[in-house]
mmCIF file of all heavy atoms in Angstrom:
data_model
loop_
_atom_site.group_PDB
_atom_site.id
_atom_site.type_symbol
_atom_site.label_atom_id
_atom_site.label_comp_id
_atom_site.label_asym_id
_atom_site.label_seq_id
_atom_site.Cartn_x
_atom_site.Cartn_y
_atom_site.Cartn_z
ATOM 1 N N VAL Z 317 -86.547 37.460 96.690
ATOM 2 C CA VAL Z 317 -87.228 36.185 96.459
ATOM 3 C C VAL Z 317 -86.274 35.203 95.781
ATOM 4 O O VAL Z 317 -85.572 35.558 94.827
ATOM 5 C CB VAL Z 317 -88.478 36.397 95.574
ATOM 6 C CG1 VAL Z 317 -89.118 35.069 95.187
ATOM 7 C CG2 VAL Z 317 -89.482 37.301 96.292
ATOM 8 N N VAL Z 318 -86.268 33.969 96.268
ATOM 9 C CA VAL Z 318 -85.450 32.907 95.665
ATOM 10 C C VAL Z 318 -86.364 32.029 94.808
ATOM 11 O O VAL Z 318 -87.299 31.413 95.323
ATOM 12 C CB VAL Z 318 -84.761 32.049 96.738
ATOM 13 C CG1 VAL Z 318 -83.921 30.950 96.084
ATOM 14 C CG2 VAL Z 318 -83.895 32.912 97.648
ATOM 15 N N MET Z 319 -86.095 31.992 93.505
ATOM 16 C CA MET Z 319 -86.890 31.173 92.590
ATOM 17 C C MET Z 319 -85.981 30.156 91.914
ATOM 18 O O MET Z 319 -85.286 30.467 90.939
ATOM 19 C CB MET Z 319 -87.585 32.036 91.531
ATOM 20 C CG MET Z 319 -88.498 31.235 90.603
ATOM 21 S SD MET Z 319 -89.490 32.255 89.486
ATOM 22 C CE MET Z 319 -88.228 32.752 88.293
ATOM 23 N N GLY Z 320 -85.961 28.948 92.444
ATOM 24 C CA GLY Z 320 -85.149 27.895 91.857
ATOM 25 C C GLY Z 320 -85.561 27.620 90.425
ATOM 26 O O GLY Z 320 -86.755 27.633 90.090
ATOM 27 N N ALA Z 321 -84.572 27.361 89.553
ATOM 28 C CA ALA Z 321 -84.852 27.172 88.133
ATOM 29 C C ALA Z 321 -83.951 26.083 87.562
ATOM 30 O O ALA Z 321 -83.029 25.602 88.226
ATOM 31 C CB ALA Z 321 -84.631 28.486 87.386
ATOM 32 N N SER Z 322 -84.233 25.692 86.324
ATOM 33 C CA SER Z 322 -83.391 24.763 85.574
ATOM 34 C C SER Z 322 -83.309 23.393 86.262
ATOM 35 O O SER Z 322 -82.231 22.891 86.556
ATOM 36 C CB SER Z 322 -81.975 25.355 85.404
ATOM 37 O OG SER Z 322 -81.105 24.463 84.762
ATOM 38 N N PHE Z 323 -84.477 22.785 86.477
ATOM 39 C CA PHE Z 323 -84.516 21.486 87.143
ATOM 40 C C PHE Z 323 -84.371 20.348 86.138
ATOM 41 O O PHE Z 323 -84.857 20.428 85.009
ATOM 42 C CB PHE Z 323 -85.824 21.322 87.911
ATOM 43 C CG PHE Z 323 -85.938 22.227 89.099
ATOM 44 C CD1 PHE Z 323 -86.684 23.397 89.028
ATOM 45 C CD2 PHE Z 323 -85.293 21.924 90.285
ATOM 46 C CE1 PHE Z 323 -86.781 24.246 90.124
ATOM 47 C CE2 PHE Z 323 -85.386 22.754 91.389
ATOM 48 C CZ PHE Z 323 -86.133 23.928 91.299
ATOM 49 N N ARG Z 324 -83.722 19.272 86.567
ATOM 50 C CA ARG Z 324 -83.528 18.095 85.726
ATOM 51 C C ARG Z 324 -84.446 16.938 86.103
ATOM 52 O O ARG Z 324 -84.595 15.995 85.331
ATOM 53 C CB ARG Z 324 -82.068 17.633 85.815
ATOM 54 C CG ARG Z 324 -81.045 18.670 85.376
ATOM 55 C CD ARG Z 324 -81.185 19.015 83.913
ATOM 56 N NE ARG Z 324 -80.119 19.887 83.447
ATOM 57 C CZ ARG Z 324 -80.310 21.150 83.046
ATOM 58 N NH1 ARG Z 324 -81.523 21.667 83.056
ATOM 59 N NH2 ARG Z 324 -79.289 21.870 82.622
ATOM 60 N N SER Z 325 -85.030 16.984 87.300
ATOM 61 C CA SER Z 325 -85.886 15.880 87.743
ATOM 62 C C SER Z 325 -86.890 16.389 88.770
ATOM 63 O O SER Z 325 -86.680 17.430 89.400
ATOM 64 C CB SER Z 325 -85.040 14.768 88.377
ATOM 65 O OG SER Z 325 -84.468 15.228 89.596
ATOM 66 N N LYS Z 326 -87.957 15.616 88.957
ATOM 67 C CA LYS Z 326 -88.942 15.993 89.971
ATOM 68 C C LYS Z 326 -88.343 15.874 91.361
ATOM 69 O O LYS Z 326 -88.755 16.583 92.289
ATOM 70 C CB LYS Z 326 -90.210 15.166 89.852
ATOM 71 C CG LYS Z 326 -90.122 13.720 90.276
ATOM 72 C CD LYS Z 326 -91.479 13.048 90.187
ATOM 73 C CE LYS Z 326 -91.409 11.577 90.571
ATOM 74 N NZ LYS Z 326 -91.080 11.360 91.984
ATOM 75 N N GLU Z 327 -87.349 14.992 91.524
ATOM 76 C CA GLU Z 327 -86.706 14.834 92.829
ATOM 77 C C GLU Z 327 -85.975 16.124 93.226
ATOM 78 O O GLU Z 327 -85.968 16.502 94.402
ATOM 79 C CB GLU Z 327 -85.732 13.664 92.788
ATOM 80 C CG GLU Z 327 -86.397 12.293 92.760
ATOM 81 C CD GLU Z 327 -87.000 11.938 91.408
ATOM 82 O OE1 GLU Z 327 -86.563 12.512 90.386
ATOM 83 O OE2 GLU Z 327 -87.908 11.086 91.375
ATOM 84 N N GLU Z 328 -85.349 16.786 92.258
ATOM 85 C CA GLU Z 328 -84.715 18.070 92.543
ATOM 86 C C GLU Z 328 -85.761 19.090 92.990
ATOM 87 O O GLU Z 328 -85.537 19.852 93.937
ATOM 88 C CB GLU Z 328 -83.989 18.603 91.300
ATOM 89 C CG GLU Z 328 -82.656 17.979 91.021
ATOM 90 C CD GLU Z 328 -81.955 18.626 89.842
ATOM 91 O OE1 GLU Z 328 -82.650 19.082 88.905
ATOM 92 O OE2 GLU Z 328 -80.716 18.685 89.846
ATOM 93 N N VAL Z 329 -86.890 19.114 92.306
ATOM 94 C CA VAL Z 329 -87.968 20.048 92.652
ATOM 95 C C VAL Z 329 -88.432 19.797 94.083
ATOM 96 O O VAL Z 329 -88.542 20.724 94.900
ATOM 97 C CB VAL Z 329 -89.158 19.915 91.676
ATOM 98 C CG1 VAL Z 329 -90.307 20.815 92.116
ATOM 99 C CG2 VAL Z 329 -88.732 20.254 90.251
ATOM 100 N N LEU Z 330 -88.696 18.539 94.409
ATOM 101 C CA LEU Z 330 -89.209 18.192 95.730
ATOM 102 C C LEU Z 330 -88.189 18.457 96.827
ATOM 103 O O LEU Z 330 -88.559 18.736 97.972
ATOM 104 C CB LEU Z 330 -89.638 16.730 95.753
ATOM 105 C CG LEU Z 330 -90.799 16.362 94.813
ATOM 106 C CD1 LEU Z 330 -91.067 14.870 94.851
ATOM 107 C CD2 LEU Z 330 -92.054 17.151 95.163
ATOM 108 N N GLU Z 331 -86.907 18.382 96.479
ATOM 109 C CA GLU Z 331 -85.855 18.651 97.458
ATOM 110 C C GLU Z 331 -85.855 20.106 97.887
ATOM 111 O O GLU Z 331 -85.328 20.453 98.956
ATOM 112 C CB GLU Z 331 -84.489 18.275 96.877
ATOM 113 C CG GLU Z 331 -83.336 18.321 97.861
ATOM 114 C CD GLU Z 331 -83.491 17.319 99.005
ATOM 115 O OE1 GLU Z 331 -84.198 16.292 98.846
ATOM 116 O OE2 GLU Z 331 -82.892 17.564 100.082
ATOM 117 N N LEU Z 332 -86.496 20.977 97.102
ATOM 118 C CA LEU Z 332 -86.568 22.405 97.441
ATOM 119 C C LEU Z 332 -87.984 22.827 97.814
ATOM 120 O O LEU Z 332 -88.334 24.003 97.732
ATOM 121 C CB LEU Z 332 -86.050 23.245 96.258
ATOM 122 C CG LEU Z 332 -84.573 23.043 95.921
ATOM 123 C CD1 LEU Z 332 -84.182 23.918 94.730
ATOM 124 C CD2 LEU Z 332 -83.677 23.347 97.114
ATOM 125 N N ALA Z 333 -88.797 21.867 98.242
ATOM 126 C CA ALA Z 333 -90.159 22.180 98.680
ATOM 127 C C ALA Z 333 -90.126 23.211 99.800
ATOM 128 O O ALA Z 333 -89.433 23.043 100.796
ATOM 129 C CB ALA Z 333 -90.861 20.909 99.156
ATOM 130 N N GLY Z 334 -90.862 24.308 99.614
ATOM 131 C CA GLY Z 334 -90.879 25.385 100.590
ATOM 132 C C GLY Z 334 -90.130 26.615 100.122
ATOM 133 O O GLY Z 334 -90.257 27.687 100.716
ATOM 134 N N CYS Z 335 -89.334 26.479 99.039
ATOM 135 C CA CYS Z 335 -88.625 27.633 98.477
ATOM 136 C C CYS Z 335 -89.653 28.684 98.054
ATOM 137 O O CYS Z 335 -90.801 28.351 97.722
ATOM 138 C CB CYS Z 335 -87.790 27.188 97.280
ATOM 139 S SG CYS Z 335 -86.611 28.421 96.680
ATOM 140 N N ASP Z 336 -89.264 29.948 98.043
ATOM 141 C CA ASP Z 336 -90.202 31.039 97.734
ATOM 142 C C ASP Z 336 -90.984 30.766 96.460
ATOM 143 O O ASP Z 336 -92.214 30.844 96.422
ATOM 144 C CB ASP Z 336 -89.447 32.366 97.570
ATOM 145 C CG ASP Z 336 -88.782 32.822 98.844
ATOM 146 O OD1 ASP Z 336 -89.342 32.583 99.933
ATOM 147 O OD2 ASP Z 336 -87.705 33.440 98.764
ATOM 148 N N LYS Z 337 -90.259 30.479 95.377
ATOM 149 C CA LYS Z 337 -90.863 30.176 94.089
ATOM 150 C C LYS Z 337 -89.988 29.152 93.370
ATOM 151 O O LYS Z 337 -88.787 29.051 93.629
ATOM 152 C CB LYS Z 337 -90.970 31.436 93.209
ATOM 153 C CG LYS Z 337 -91.947 32.488 93.722
ATOM 154 C CD LYS Z 337 -91.984 33.683 92.780
ATOM 155 C CE LYS Z 337 -92.894 34.782 93.302
ATOM 156 N NZ LYS Z 337 -94.318 34.382 93.274
#
Side-chain angles (χ1 to χ4, degrees):
V317 174
V318 180
M319 184 173 75
S322 176
F323 291 100
R324 300 296 187 246
S325 67
K326 72 176 178 67
E327 287 75 23
E328 281 184 328
V329 176
L330 297 176
E331 188 63 24
L332 296 180
C335 191
D336 295 326
K337 293 180 183 291

